[in-house]
Amino acid sequence: MTSRYADIYESWRRHPEGFWAGVASSEIDWIKPWDKVFDPALSVYGRWFPGAECNTCWNCVDRHAEKQPDATAIIYDSPITGAKRLISYGELLSDVKALAAVLRERGVVKGDRVIIYMPMIPEAVTAMLACARLGAIHSVVFGGFAAPELATRIDDAKPKLVVSASCGIEPGRIVSYKPLLDEAIELAAHKPEACLILQREQERCDLIAGRDHDFADSVEKARGTEVACEPLAATDPLYILYTSGTTGQPKGVVRDNGGHMVALKWTMRAIYGIEPGEAFWAASDVGWVVGHSYIVYAPLLHGCATVVFEGKPVGTPDAGVFWRIISEHKVAALFTAPTAFRAIKKEDPDGRFIPQYDLSSLRTLFLAGERADPDTIQWAEEHLKLPVVDHWWQTETSWAIAANPVGLGLLPVKYGSAGVPMPGYDLQVLDDAGHQVDAGTLGNIAVKLPLPPGCLPTLWNADERFRESYLAEFPGYYQTADAGYCDADGYVFVMSRTDDIINVAGHRLSTGAMEEVLAAHPDVAECAVIGVADQLKGQVPRGFVVLKAGAARDATELQAECVSRMRAEIGPIAAFRTLYVVQRLPKTRSGKILRATMRQIAEGETPRVPATIDDPAILDEIKAAMAVG
Ligand code: COA
Ligand code: AMP
């Protein structure tokens, strides 16, 4: 089939508003139509569908439950606990209404914030949808974050209520969520009025009288209560999702209701080639944007069955679990991070588990979250004998900036490229002065404003930070903070971040935040954290510290202390394990630490040493420290 991509992209380019209005009219139920498709005068750079009213929960649940109550909405498969459950659209509607009734009884109304801190269980999805039903703004916090990270989010979002669970389950250990939640609330200046706690059988927790309420009891008592979908402005926030910025203060990415539904619904057919009723599996976590968009909202908007998977690609119980899930639930598309495939490839290099399962339902594998290395793509292609599609996006956008749109007809795959720009994105590669560079030349990847529906209109309570972080450097453009190039055929190659964000096993983390943790150690005078290439996780952090005068410390002991601080302050997902004690850090004459040069040394490259370096001899000291290990 020849691809319709070029025609579709061109049709968007000619009539951007007509393009999105067409999707909005045919794919989404509205309570009231929009006054304008896009108004550039509103908010920071404009807003999509102002004047319109809608409800995301209605579009994800009620409309399907009316037509096909018995169709499967959620496939919960938890190899880590052995639990499995199919939830129909009818059951999901009953669960969501009951939980919405509980929230309403606790005083949650439109515009209130609710933090959801939960493992990968269906109740996390129900909680998101119950908020959407009421117009409450949810903010899901990934379970792998430590209490101080949760506290920062509580203080920024100021939730009226927190929904959580007694525990999560990781291979070989139970993660007690409740003590982390209690500590976070203790640390935070803002105190939520109530917590709704799901008691899991693997580990129950104590509830604090007056503040904590049992999730299951409350929901069962409220079962059958009618709670209508709240009419919301298309521009009202659906959720806030915090993501790493360049400091320890995460950015609260705001998502609206209307534009978000329009964009995500379009992607299900056009990018993923999926039909309503099919099973779609994003093997991610609801704490990340991939989980928000492709475990929860997009598949449900499209009337699909979505897989909620509580497990790991390896070790739960083996490297065949992905194939077992695909065959058992007839999954049509799998979406995961390359790191998951690297983990499978490492355990099962010859793909011996694959032929043990019937994978005939699977049509495409989608990868995102980090750069997909050609080795991993080729291994997956060879063993699955399917198209493997890399696509590129960010928490900020909620859907792919560039992809190979399977539903429009697959374009030739180019290894190392994340595909071509999707309609809505006028992608340009700019030099540091903001001029467009030629095809093949590396530069800053930017999107000409306006951003399409689904992308963030601003940061939570921080319009100015939004302008400064994303719009100020290249006026008229959204700066992606990714560097790369476009080739002569328009394919995008995303190479690296231009800021201090690193990508560890598909998790976006700030080295700036990690430096803040090291700097707080009483013996540390100065520090730097860099991301270094890793065969499994893509990148891992490494720390360098200069001790305060007079602080004589055993390096192994200091490393253990810093690792433990990092786990307690940021969380185990930081995967921080290596610390070097050095005499000095390499800097420019103006005092800027040469992190990029240090990374090049760590990765065995010939370092590009800037002419402004203060003392080149320090680079040899850094090299020697890393060689000793
Ligand atoms: N709650 C609590 N702790 C969590 C957690 C969660 N939800 N998720 C991860 N952790 C912990 C792990 O237990 C581990 O702790 P440890 O240091 O005590 O062992 C640590 O955080 C690092 O976890 P992880 O990143 O999962 O690394 P791993 O070495 O255990 O496993 C992979 C490696 C590749 C199997 C795993 O990273 C993976 O499945 N990656 C896919 C990532 C993904 O889907 N990203 C989403 C973007 S699309
Ligand atoms: P997150 O906001 O967690 O989704 O992380 C977004 C960042 O991950 C992007 O800015 C990129 O740096 C990186 N990323 C995501 N997908 C890709 C991809 N397909 N190729 C290269 N980098 C990617």
Side-chain angles (χ1 to χ4, degrees), residues 278-289:
E278 292 192 299
F280 186 86
W281 180 20
S284 176
D285 188 287
V286 285
W288 305 115
V289 69

Side-chain angles (χ1 to χ4, degrees), residues 118-120 142-145 168-171 173 175 177 180 283-285 288 290-291 311-314 322 335-337 339-343 368-370 504-507 536-537 567 571-575 577:
M118 290 186 115
M120 279 294 290
F142 177 61
F145 279 123
I169 299 130
E170 283 292 296
R173 75 186 162 112
V175 182
Y177 276 38
L180 294 171
S284 176
D285 188 287
W288 305 115
V290 173
K312 300 271 174 179
V314 294
F322 272 31
F335 176 170
T336 191
T339 188
F341 262 75
R342 288 196 295 268
E370 55 173 329
V504 181
H507 308 315
L536 175 65
K537 299 200 174 192
R567 290 174 74 90
I573 45 152
R577 301 207 201 288

Side-chain angles (χ1 to χ4, degrees), residues 219-422:
V219 165
E220 280 328 303
K221 278 192 200 121
R223 178 109 26 218
T225 313
E226 198 45 53
V227 181
C229 289
E230 185 74 22
L232 302 172
T235 50
D236 279 342
L238 169 68
Y239 69 76
I240 307 165
L241 178 57
Y242 288 90
T243 189
S244 298
T246 47
T247 64
Q249 181 68 29
K251 292 170 171 164
V253 167
V254 173
R255 197 79 61 213
D256 68 10
N257 275 278
H260 177 242
M261 283 196 280
V262 172
L264 291 195
K265 182 69 171 70
W266 179 81
T267 64
M268 285 303 287
R269 241 188 215 114
I271 298 184
Y272 299 100
I274 293 293
E275 288 303 315
E278 292 192 299
F280 186 86
W281 180 20
S284 176
D285 188 287
V286 285
W288 305 115
V289 69
V290 173
H292 279 63
S293 294
Y294 290 103
I295 295 173
V296 185
Y297 289 112
L300 296 179
L301 281 168
H302 205 45
C304 289
T306 184
V307 179
V308 172
F309 169 68
E310 191 182 22
K312 300 271 174 179
V314 294
T316 60
D318 54 39
V321 68
F322 272 31
W323 324 129
R324 198 264 299 157
I325 299 242
I326 291 166
S327 68
E328 202 169 314
H329 305 296
K330 306 211 169 8
V331 171
L334 168 64
F335 176 170
T336 191
T339 188
F341 262 75
R342 288 196 295 268
I344 294 171
K345 184 175 146 202
K346 194 168 158 217
E347 291 278 302
D348 182 21
D350 301 323
R352 286 182 203 279
F353 278 107
I354 297 174
Q356 296 175 26
Y357 297 94
D358 172 9
L359 302 185
S360 55
S361 60
L362 188 69
R363 295 195 293 274
T364 327
L365 168 65
F366 294 90
L367 298 175
E370 55 173 329
R371 192 175 148 70
D373 50 294
D375 275 0
T376 301
I377 295 187
Q378 282 161 349
W379 184 88
E381 278 179 341
E382 188 190 321
H383 288 92
L384 295 175
K385 306 200 168 30
L386 292 171
V388 179
V389 169
D390 181 16
H391 58 330
W392 165 55
W393 47 303
Q394 311 182 314
T395 304
E396 287 82 350
T397 66
S398 92
W399 62 287
I401 309 168
N404 192 333
V406 172
L408 303 181
L410 194 72
L411 296 163
V413 171
K414 291 196 189 190
Y415 297 119
S417 165
V420 292
M422 289 299 93

Side-chain angles (χ1 to χ4, degrees), residues 6-67:
D7 291 342
I8 300 277
Y9 191 79
E10 196 44 39
S11 76
W12 162 74
R13 220 185 228 299
R14 274 200 304 271
H15 303 292
E17 291 182 18
F19 181 90
W20 293 117
V23 179
S25 312
S26 59
E27 303 280 356
I28 301 298
D29 289 356
W30 301 89
I31 299 165
K32 180 173 169 286
W34 46 91
D35 299 330
K36 279 185 173 182
V37 179
F38 180 75
D39 187 343
L42 298 176
S43 194
V44 181
Y45 67 86
R47 298 302 305 260
W48 289 96
F49 305 107
E53 283 182 6
C54 56
N55 185 285
T56 297
C57 182
W58 169 272
N59 278 280
C60 286
V61 186
D62 299 57
R63 63 172 174 166
H64 307 306
E66 255 179 23
K67 286 195 205 117

